[in-house]
Amino acid sequence: MDTSFNTTKEFAEALDKADVLYHVRDRFYIQPNEIYMDGNSLGLASKDAEASLLNALEDWKKEGIKIWNIEDSKYYHYSKHIASNMAPLIGASPEEVVVVGSTTSNIHQAISTFYEPTKDKYKILVDDLNFPTDRYAVDSQVRLKGLDPDDAVKVVKSSDGVFIDEDAIIEAMTDDVALILLPTVLYRSAQVLDWLVGWLVGWLVGWLVGWDLCHAIGAIEMDLTQIDADFAVWCTYKYLSGGPGSTAGLYINKKHFNRSPGTTGWFGNKDETQFQLNHTFEHQRDASGWQVGTPNILSMAPLEGVLNIFNEVDMHAIRTKSLHITSYLMYLIDEKLTDYGYSIGNLRDDFKRGGHICLVHDEAYRISLALKDKGVIPDFREPNVIRLAPIALYTSYEEVYKVVEILEEIAQDHLYEQYSTKRGLVV
Ligand SMILES: *Cc1c(COP(=O)(O)O)cnc(C)c1O
């Protein structure tokens, strides 16, 4: 990868010309006069997602209840249908992926499936930088077993509040640990945890290891089969652009298909007997057996379309452009912004960083407000981080160039001073 850059606008234009993914941008809804840097929180809508959503709506209008039977029962098996296009993104087999629930409800599902505490082996190992909802779910699952999270949840502490040291994770893997839940990419600092850790754990000692892929799926390449992960959860509205609140994903390693789901429902029953409506649950022995209720067709439909883009382009090309365009952004920050109190808060090694750049500034919150007024959509994370995510599928190098120009102007002219530091409801 050529990372010799320069600071001219012409150079940004030349990078766009050379970008093999540039044309994919036309398939997304890019607003005029807006630069969208928040695809790591909510991916933009695409024409492909719109088409599959409208198609599902049309099918509902025309078919009513018959919708479940048309096209070889496509919607009845919609999770399987979508899973076959989602599994390649994480190196899983289609039967190991179920499209269901939300990340949080899938953590509940996975922990309640895998967590079988005994007197000596009862702790769940987590880190203190994971997204809070993961922790809320883990704590409540521990309580449901009659245990106290203060004792049964073992937390690996970050030494600097920004990164997690893999050695600290390994050190914390003591015999009393029953299950481990870790993020693949940390949501604030974009650190990619070393996959080797997960592989080592699962393979050497037989602990159950689950991964939260929220900031990884659609952003970095992964191979869950290679590391023999036990389970994984992810949302589909960030890099995958499935739409606000689109249905999430759950991976169950096929070696666990004989376990019973922690939370069971009729869509996890075997197809052959589901509509006999017996009161005895017969578990479908693949990941679809972890479905609970009726699939959320309208929250899944956009995924059907948008995943075609991912599979046409393939994750390697996406990751290659993502690393290049984020390198370019870091280069411009280093060259043009460090004099104004900005610094880069993510790790620099390619294999250690995910899809967004973590820009640190003491006035990050007010700068993020000024950015919005200038048509740049970033996101802010307490206390001092602006996350900037140039998305491989739809962000141009010229947009990155402009964002840095605007960041420079905001700092140079102290434009952020006209904003209040009071936080809004969704920041
Ligand atoms: C985005 C995100 C979530 C979101 O959970 P939902 O249940 O989908 O709202 C959870 N965990 C992590 C690590 C995330 O980044």
Side-chain angles (χ1 to χ4, degrees):
M1 188 168 58
D2 185 3
T3 51
S4 50
F5 301 118
N6 74 47
T7 56
T8 66
K9 183 145 185 280
E10 291 67 38
F11 191 74
E13 288 162 5
L15 289 173
D16 278 329
K17 282 216 179 69
D19 173 13
V20 291
L21 296 186
Y22 188 80
H23 63 281
V24 184
R25 177 177 160 85
D26 297 338
R27 290 163 76 167
F28 285 85
Y29 284 99
I30 316 268
Q31 296 305 305
N33 306 319
E34 185 176 284
I35 301 180
Y36 198 74
M37 284 284 144
D38 206 8
N40 57 331
S41 278
L42 182 69
L44 285 181
S46 63
K47 291 166 192 173
D48 299 67
E50 179 185 42
S52 53
L53 175 60
L54 291 179
N55 188 44
L57 199 59
E58 211 45 47
D59 287 337
W60 174 30
K61 277 156 69 178
K62 274 205 305 258
E63 308 288 347
I65 188 73
K66 297 187 301 282
I67 194 173
W68 298 114
N69 295 320
I70 60 170
E71 295 177 52
D72 214 9
S73 309
K74 167 177 151 185
Y75 291 110
Y76 175 66
H77 290 130
Y78 211 27
S79 168
K80 281 189 177 156
H81 190 79
I82 293 171
S84 64
N85 263 343
M86 208 182 275
L89 304 184
I90 57 172
S93 305
E95 76 269 18
E96 294 174 310
V97 170
V98 56
V99 183
V100 68
S102 68
T103 314
T104 314
S105 68
N106 290 345
I107 296 171
H108 282 289
Q109 173 66 294
I111 305 277
S112 61
T113 299
F114 288 98
Y115 182 44
E116 294 168 332
T118 61
K119 199 168 117 319
D120 302 319
K121 207 170 181 64
Y122 64 97
K123 294 194 177 177
I124 300 184
L125 187 67
V126 297
D127 67 282
D128 69 345
L129 296 184
N130 203 346
F131 197 70
T133 199
D134 295 43
R135 187 61 194 284
Y136 304 159
V138 166
D139 285 4
S140 76
Q141 286 297 325
V142 162
R143 273 189 227 104
L144 282 169
K145 298 281 189 200
L147 299 170
D148 177 0
D150 284 343
D151 174 37
V153 180
K154 184 167 185 184
V155 184
V156 177
K157 295 236 170 11
S158 159
S159 55
D160 55 7
V162 183
F163 303 114
I164 293 285
D165 177 3
E166 283 92 349
D167 289 340
I169 298 176
I170 292 173
E171 222 165 89
M173 292 171 182
T174 43
D175 282 343
D176 52 1
V177 169
L179 190 151
I180 299 170
L181 176 67
L182 294 169
T184 325
V185 177
L186 297 187
Y187 79 96
R188 195 187 278 116
S189 66
Q191 177 188 358
V192 178
L193 279 189
D194 192 340
W195 284 98
L196 200 60
V197 176
W199 180 77
L200 259 179
V201 184
W203 185 76
L204 273 179
V205 257
W207 274 304
L208 292 164
V209 190
W211 295 91
D212 184 323
L213 313 181
C214 279
H215 276 272
I217 191 161
I220 67 170
E221 292 169 274
M222 286 177 284
D223 192 336
L224 293 189
T225 303
Q226 192 196 345
I227 64 160
D228 201 24
D230 291 294
F231 67 88
V233 298
W234 59 94
C235 58
T236 57
Y237 48 80
K238 292 174 179 164
Y239 290 90
L240 287 191
S241 284
S246 54
T247 305
L250 172 64
Y251 160 90
I252 305 279
N253 186 314
K254 55 165 89 74
K255 70 186 178 194
H256 296 305
F257 285 169
N258 278 331
R259 281 176 185 261
S260 293
T263 60
T264 306
W266 73 312
F267 261 79
N269 199 90
K270 281 185 182 155
D271 293 349
E272 303 82 53
T273 54
Q274 182 182 350
F275 275 85
Q276 291 175 7
L277 304 178
N278 298 323
H279 281 196
T280 316
F281 179 68
E282 287 188 80
H283 184 205
Q284 177 81 30
R285 300 287 176 189
D286 59 29
S288 71
W290 272 260
Q291 287 183 102
V292 185
T294 308
N296 322 129
I297 301 303
L298 298 181
S299 301
M300 294 160 84
L303 287 167
E304 185 188 343
V306 76
L307 284 171
N308 290 332
I309 303 181
F310 281 88
N311 287 303
E312 279 167 39
V313 170
D314 109 40
M315 274 315 301
H316 185 66
I318 290 173
R319 178 63 164 158
T320 304
K321 173 169 171 190
S322 167
L323 285 173
H324 191 254
I325 196 167
T326 46
S327 294
Y328 176 58
L329 175 53
M330 288 194 289
Y331 165 82
L332 291 178
I333 293 169
D334 284 341
E335 291 294 312
K336 298 173 75 167
L337 297 183
T338 42
D339 287 350
Y340 300 108
Y342 292 102
S343 61
I344 292 175
N346 51 274
L347 297 170
R348 302 256 180 169
D349 288 338
D350 283 357
F351 67 98
K352 286 265 180 204
R353 59 192 184 87
H356 72 264
I357 293 304
C358 178
L359 183 67
V360 177
H361 194 286
D362 289 343
E363 285 289 351
Y365 179 65
R366 295 202 289 173
I367 291 172
S368 75
L369 299 180
L371 276 173
K372 282 181 203 163
D373 279 346
K374 295 234 164 240
V376 178
I377 310 298
D379 90 7
F380 165 76
R381 285 293 173 265
E382 296 285 358
N384 59 354
V385 168
I386 295 172
R387 298 188 304 184
L388 296 171
I391 302 295
L393 294 178
Y394 52 78
T395 305
S396 70
Y397 288 84
E398 196 181 338
E399 285 177 316
V400 168
Y401 178 86
K402 281 188 192 152
V403 168
V404 172
E405 217 174 34
I406 293 168
L407 282 164
E408 186 178 14
E409 183 195 344
I410 290 170
Q412 205 167 36
D413 300 345
H414 295 262
L415 297 182
Y416 55 86
E417 284 175 0
Q418 39 186 295
Y419 297 88
S420 157
T421 54
K422 192 170 176 304
R423 309 301 198 236
L425 204 55
V426 177
V427 291

